[in-house]
Amino acid sequence: MSTISVAGADIDTRHFIGGVRVSSTETYTNTSPIDGTFLGEISRGGATEVEQAVAAARAAFPAWAALGPQGRGALLHKLADLVEENNETLSQLETMDNGSLLRSHRRGVMPRVAMNIRFFADWAMNELRHEPFETRGHTNNVSWDPSGVAALITPWNAPLMLATWKIGPALAAGDTVILKPAEWTPLSASFFADLTVKAGIPAGVFNVVQGYGAEAGAALVAHPGISRISFTGSVPTAKIIARAAADNLTPCSFELGGKSPMIVLGDADLDLAAEIAVEQYDNAGQVCLSGTRIFVHESVADEFQAKFAERAAKITQGDPRDENTDIGPQIHQVHFDRIKGFVDRAAAEGQNIVWGGTPNADLGGLYFTPTLVLEPTPGAEVVTQEIFGPVLTMMTFSTDEEVIERANGTEFGLAAVVVSGNKDHAKKITDVLVAGTIWVNCFFVRDLRAPFGGSKKSGIGRDGGTWSFDFYADVKNTVVSPNGWKE
Ligand code: ADP
């Protein structure tokens, strides 16, 4: 069977290549993290399907590129309309497949998916320009030309949201696309492919190859017919992809992990700080941006911890389809075991686990309780490694200099949060933190006009506004002399 029914819609579990559904001889089983329900047998692609997809995407490229920003923009707006019309199906599908909250998919994520498409379509049409400038009377004209076929490799923690951060600008830039969704969350990409057909996007412009990273993903990033690789995922996988890309010198954009600091200064509003701290458990901690190292000034540490504990105790864990649920399950048994391994080893090392620390006994399955490790010993893996689960650490500090050094003392540099009641004090800290995004007295505010990405091992490149087009497009400067014209 190659279709499954979710929320009244048929979801095809095969690849989508050149505008048609393609199956593989092999499949893999996809289950829901909510309760282990069988969701479908998914086509397991590899080099053969990648070859077909690259051929289809290359064939579709000249006509898509020739459409120009306006022609592409009209179709992309239709696609965004269809995402909005299918909000309920997409929300239920994504929740079944990855276990994150249905209410946030309905109200926040899926509207944002539509926005990701609209925003970059509009940016290409209206904002993507550089004023011509003169060099000794010659005019420099900067343009962003379509580059070819973009390979997009995406993770499971926010599947369609993160995919459309890439699909939006790649298609708007005039590239054709091959998406390889994460193997644990294949379904929303598959349904999205049907929406591209309904929107009138020509066959071959958008393709989906399903399958494992080491098979479909590896074949895709090694293919010489790819002009760009955009990847969101882990540092070890990024290194493998970079090596494969090196053979063809394919440009890569990487958004990788983090071990972000959240710094609560002595002058902070501690109620606000506690609210923000609780948000770091969102999506069961499966958020690359999460501020998992909470540094609190020693003068307010006890008061902050009490407020944080009070709020954390109110977190409702359960079925993500329930309106009252704050935190759902982990994505997969393999990932659950990895998180549990970190926490069990921390306990065995004698680290101070002040709450959580165990699977949720009431729920069973893949539900791990929100956990806090207090004052882990310096260098402990719980404070150096990205756990990607509901496991936070809290440490006290004495001086600004100390917290700056400790906050920056990581191989990552994705994000940071600073909570302070004093603008100058906050600025003193944010000026020297190394991170792609810093939030002051807030968390998770993301404007698509702003650059987004990671410093150090958290990534290469930035998404957002023109930064996205600088990556997906071939940026060109045409220098025109005032001489030689015949008319
Ligand atoms: P995680 O550890 O969070 O699952 P990964 O970085 O392994 O993150 O996976 C993110 C995405 O990268 C997934 O779509 C996965 O299939 C893909 N992937 C994994 N290994 C490779 C690889 N060798 N080449 C290309 N893509 C890969």
Coordinates of all heavy atoms in Angstrom, one line a residue, residues 122 270 278 311 324 351 367 413 418 465:
D122 N 8.1 37.1 -2.2 CA 8.0 38.6 -2.2 C 9.4 39.2 -2.2 O 9.6 40.3 -2.9 CB 7.2 39.1 -1.0 CG 5.7 38.8 -1.2 OD1 5.3 38.4 -2.3 OD2 5.0 38.8 -0.1
L270 N 13.1 38.2 37.6 CA 13.2 36.8 37.8 C 12.0 36.0 37.4 O 12.1 34.8 37.0 CB 13.6 36.4 39.2 CG 15.0 37.0 39.6 CD1 15.3 36.6 41.1 CD2 16.1 36.6 38.7
V278 N 11.6 28.0 31.3 CA 10.6 26.9 31.0 C 10.5 26.7 29.5 O 10.3 25.6 29.1 CB 9.3 27.2 31.7 CG1 8.2 26.3 31.2 CG2 9.4 27.0 33.2
R311 N 7.4 26.9 38.1 CA 6.8 26.8 36.8 C 7.0 25.5 36.1 O 6.2 25.0 35.4 CB 7.4 28.0 35.9 CG 6.8 29.3 36.2 CD 7.5 30.4 35.5 NE 6.9 31.7 35.7 CZ 7.0 32.4 36.9 NH1 7.6 31.9 37.9 NH2 6.4 33.6 36.9
N324 N -4.2 20.7 26.2 CA -3.6 21.1 27.5 C -2.1 20.7 27.6 O -1.4 21.0 28.6 CB -4.3 20.5 28.7 CG -5.7 21.0 28.7 OD1 -6.0 22.2 28.5 ND2 -6.7 20.1 29.0
Q351 N 26.1 13.6 39.4 CA 25.6 14.9 39.2 C 24.3 15.2 39.9 O 23.6 14.2 40.1 CB 25.4 15.2 37.7 CG 26.6 14.8 36.8 CD 27.8 15.8 37.0 OE1 27.7 16.8 37.7 NE2 28.9 15.4 36.3
Y367 N 8.1 9.2 26.4 CA 8.0 10.5 27.2 C 9.1 10.5 28.3 O 9.1 9.7 29.2 CB 6.6 10.6 27.8 CG 5.5 10.6 26.7 CD1 5.1 9.5 26.0 CD2 5.0 11.9 26.3 CE1 4.1 9.6 25.0 CE2 4.0 11.9 25.3 CZ 3.6 10.8 24.7 OH 2.6 10.9 23.7
G413 N 27.9 27.9 18.6 CA 27.6 29.4 18.7 C 26.4 29.7 18.0 O 26.3 30.5 17.1
V418 N 19.9 36.4 27.0 CA 20.3 37.2 28.1 C 19.1 37.8 28.8 O 18.3 38.4 28.1 CB 21.3 38.4 27.7 CG1 21.7 39.2 28.9 CG2 22.6 37.7 27.0
G465 N 16.2 36.9 4.4 CA 16.3 38.0 3.5 C 17.3 37.7 2.3 O 17.3 36.6 1.8

